[in-house]
Amino acid sequence: MKELPWTRVKRLQRSDVVAPLQSQRHCPLCHSSVEDELFSLYDFQFFTDQQGCNRADHRVVCCQQCGLIYTNPCYTPAGFQLLFDKAGCSYGHTAGRIGEQVAWLNGQFPIAQSLLDVGCGNGDLLKALPQTLARHGIDIDEQTLNRVAQDAPGIDFSVCDFNGLKGLPQVDVITMFHVLEHLPDPDDFLAQLRSLSKPSVALVVEVPVVDRAAELQDRDVVGFFTVQHLTHFSKNTLERMLAKNGWRVVHAEAMAGYNGWRVVAEQGPVQTDVGNDASGLIAARSYLEVWKQNVELVKRRIATLNGAPRIMIWGAGQHTEYLTLLTALFELNASFVVVDSDPMKQGYEYHSLPVLSPDQVPEHEWRTGSFPIVISTYGGQQSLLEILKEKGVAAARIITLYDRTSRY
Ligand SMILES: [Zn+2]
């Protein structure tokens, strides 16, 4: 590539698709339909352009009856498939925490002989656990599981649809690390686990909780109410959803340094009355106050770009879509290019802007170009800063949107 393909932003019209991408639902915990809206982003584009049909409304509500915070409308199965098709590296991972999880599981369950990891993904956790343990993993993506099973013959992987488990291996420990918040019907899934597991099983569930979102005060404009999560638990609503399905919490702890609330539950009585608790709503409101201030800080950074005729953005993921909807970035009178290291996004367009791989940018453009480069990620800001410095980009050209970042 001799010249960078500088382009003007053009946001495509949202187009109707054959299958509905979202549908309204009742509260996943108490089934009431009386809700208050807490947060919304309309016409959110999921990653690169797809003729305007990969758009959905992101609306987070709080149930008036029980206090559960959840996304409504929810993605339909067809919608989920279409919208998250190119999530690639943008999708939440806990890969960096495997070492801690293994040490914790060994300490917590020293005599366990078998373990099932629900939502096992690439099987990284299972592969890191002792080989003496009978290890099982279930997930929805058949292709990934087939590939993973080839490198890990000692582990039993099976494909499952979270909506209708056919059976379950009888294990001592079941783990669900950052899975429950992604499921359209977590209540039903917990009921299925209860009816299919053995009475002595220990269930480990870790989710991000709104109580900690308020405490941690991350600066990220994407923040707690991300489009990937369908239920936005609090410590209390997680415990009540477990209790409703016959799971009694016997241990709970907050993870250091990121928003993870880890509980161990055993089989217990089914609590049919889910009650009401406002602690999640109070935490959500206080979190949103801080979040609004964070958005203002980012807007101010973006305002410093005013007058630049050409701007490079590194990041074609959901963080950039938050900037599109919340700030004036793409209203600037400039031409843009977007760079992303995720092959799922390269070669496509994002709001009509070409998405390049970093290798497609000629070396002299990094070293001597005059255009500013906006780092559009929160968790990855520090590592991108280092990559840009290595490429010889002058510090004055690099626009970071956050003073400090922390890991999720
Ligand atoms: Zn409810």
Side-chain angles (χ1 to χ4, degrees):
M1 188 173 287
K2 282 194 185 135
E3 294 266 313
L4 287 173
W6 298 104
T7 309
R8 292 269 163 174
V9 169
K10 202 173 118 219
R11 198 172 158 84
L12 301 175
Q13 285 294 311
R14 183 171 178 163
S15 66
D16 291 329
V17 286
V18 182
L21 302 182
Q22 294 178 291
S23 61
Q24 288 288 329
R25 60 171 171 170
H26 290 169
C27 168
L29 178 56
C30 75
H31 305 288
S32 160
S33 59
V34 192
E35 60 184 36
D36 292 317
E37 182 175 300
L38 276 183
F39 175 86
S40 59
L41 283 172
Y42 290 98
D43 203 16
F44 190 98
Q45 176 165 308
F46 286 68
F47 314 106
T48 50
D49 297 346
Q50 290 180 39
Q51 286 97 45
C53 68
N54 54 339
R55 304 274 187 80
D57 295 328
H58 180 43
R59 193 168 159 271
V60 175
V61 301
C62 182
C63 173
Q64 279 188 11
Q65 194 75 38
C66 74
L68 184 76
I69 300 173
Y70 62 102
T71 294
N72 198 19
C74 183
Y75 312 115
T76 60
F80 187 84
Q81 214 164 14
L82 190 143
L83 296 170
F84 289 93
D85 179 42
K86 287 198 191 142
C89 299
S90 309
Y91 199 77
H93 286 288
T94 60
R97 303 181 201 133
I98 299 292
E100 181 279 327
Q101 288 166 352
V102 170
W104 184 88
L105 288 166
N106 287 336
Q108 196 81 20
F109 308 105
I111 57 162
Q113 300 193 336
S114 51
L115 180 142
L116 166 68
D117 189 27
V118 174
C120 62
N122 287 326
D124 292 338
L125 171 63
L126 293 167
K127 285 187 235 167
L129 283 165
Q131 291 188 7
T132 48
L133 201 64
R135 291 162 293 164
H136 305 264
I138 57 173
D139 213 324
I140 42 173
D141 185 357
E142 189 168 3
Q143 271 186 331
T144 305
L145 290 186
N146 286 342
R147 183 170 46 75
V148 173
Q150 286 178 346
D151 342 319
I155 305 174
D156 162 49
F157 290 102
S158 42
V159 181
C160 89
D161 174 356
F162 290 113
N163 297 320
L165 289 177
K166 301 272 183 321
L168 215 52
Q170 295 304 302
V171 292
D172 298 330
V173 181
I174 298 175
T175 52
M176 289 185 83
F177 288 109
H178 293 261
V179 173
L180 202 62
E181 68 272 29
H182 295 273
L183 301 186
D185 195 345
D187 184 50
D188 175 64
F189 189 73
L190 291 172
Q192 293 181 60
L193 282 186
R194 174 69 158 77
S195 69
L196 294 169
S197 58
K198 67 180 186 184
S200 62
V201 73
L203 173 66
V204 177
V205 177
E206 185 180 307
V207 295
V209 286
V210 68
D211 321 62
R212 295 212 74 215
E215 284 162 26
L216 287 167
Q217 306 213 335
D218 274 334
R219 302 285 179 91
D220 191 353
V221 295
V222 175
F224 184 74
F225 293 117
T226 149
V227 294
Q228 270 111 340
H229 295 170
L230 303 180
T231 310
H232 311 276
F233 288 102
S234 67
K235 294 173 185 175
N236 183 281
T237 51
L238 174 65
E239 187 165 340
R240 281 189 290 142
M241 191 178 282
L242 285 162
K244 185 189 164 199
N245 293 294
W247 293 104
R248 182 179 58 230
V249 173
V250 292
H251 173 87
E253 62 183 287
M255 297 294 103
Y258 71 94
N259 194 343
W261 180 245
R262 188 177 294 174
V263 305
V264 180
E266 292 174 352
Q267 292 196 358
V270 172
Q271 304 278 346
T272 44
D273 179 13
V274 296
N276 192 343
D277 180 87
S279 62
L281 179 60
I282 293 165
R285 288 202 172 124
S286 100
Y287 162 74
L288 282 170
E289 281 308 307
V290 176
W291 176 80
K292 280 180 200 155
Q293 292 163 21
N294 293 337
V295 173
E296 288 307 314
L297 292 174
V298 168
K299 280 182 174 171
R300 267 183 245 162
R301 293 276 169 106
I302 285 176
T304 65
L305 292 160
N306 204 356
R310 291 171 167 183
I311 299 167
M312 177 183 280
I313 295 167
W314 191 319
Q318 66 164 343
H319 185 276
T320 305
E321 185 64 6
Y322 273 72
L323 297 184
T324 306
L325 296 178
L326 295 168
T327 76
L329 176 62
F330 287 143
E331 285 151 36
L332 293 168
N333 184 19
S335 301
F336 296 85
V337 290
V338 181
V339 168
D340 200 298
S341 45
D342 181 0
M344 301 279 278
K345 303 184 179 85
Q346 294 161 3
Y348 294 91
E349 291 182 347
Y350 175 72
H351 300 314
S352 305
L353 307 176
V355 181
L356 310 178
S357 88
D359 298 339
Q360 282 178 284
V361 178
E363 252 182 69
H364 70 270
E365 296 281 13
W366 297 118
R367 281 186 277 106
T368 58
S370 57
F371 51 89
I373 303 173
V374 180
I375 297 181
S376 179
T377 160
Y378 177 78
Q381 178 176 287
Q382 194 53 36
S383 60
L384 282 188
L385 200 52
E386 278 152 30
I387 290 170
L388 288 172
K389 280 182 187 159
E390 248 170 59
K391 288 186 179 295
V393 180
R397 289 172 59 204
I398 306 174
I399 310 298
T400 54
L401 299 178
Y402 303 103
D403 284 338
R404 60 176 174 84
T405 56
S406 61
R407 188 170 81 99
Y408 283 118

